[in-house]
Amino acid sequence: MEYPESYELIFQAPAVEDDVVIVRRTDKAGAGGYPVYEDESGIVRAEISDRAEVRMLASGGHQMLRTPLLARPLTP
């Protein structure tokens, strides 16, 4: 199956504009067998299914993971 190279993860932020984080596909797969995506810093990591279902992955200790409001595939 072909997966998008990148996604926009849109997080709802109270009282301000929503946060948008761009993540790119890595060569890793998550526990569900779907690709793992991460941002340029490597801090924001997520497994994204073929139906754009997102499971956030911790990249370090003491993270408070939030689920994005939406995962939107980006086209090249």
Side-chain angles (χ1 to χ4, degrees), residues 8-67:
E8 284 183 329
L9 298 181
I10 302 164
F11 296 89
Q12 191 169 26
V16 294
E17 265 188 60
D18 293 342
D19 286 332
V20 178
V21 178
I22 296 175
V23 292
R24 300 197 189 311
R25 191 174 69 209
T26 68
D27 59 351
K28 300 175 183 106
Y34 297 107
V36 171
Y37 291 77
E38 63 183 37
D39 71 341
E40 286 185 15
S41 71
I43 294 172
V44 177
R45 298 179 65 228
E47 178 181 7
I48 304 177
S49 78
D50 55 348
R51 295 181 6 195
E53 299 163 322
V54 179
R55 185 170 67 91
M56 297 303 294
L57 305 171
S59 61
H62 305 291
Q63 281 185 306
M64 298 194 55
L65 302 176
R66 293 187 304 151
T67 302

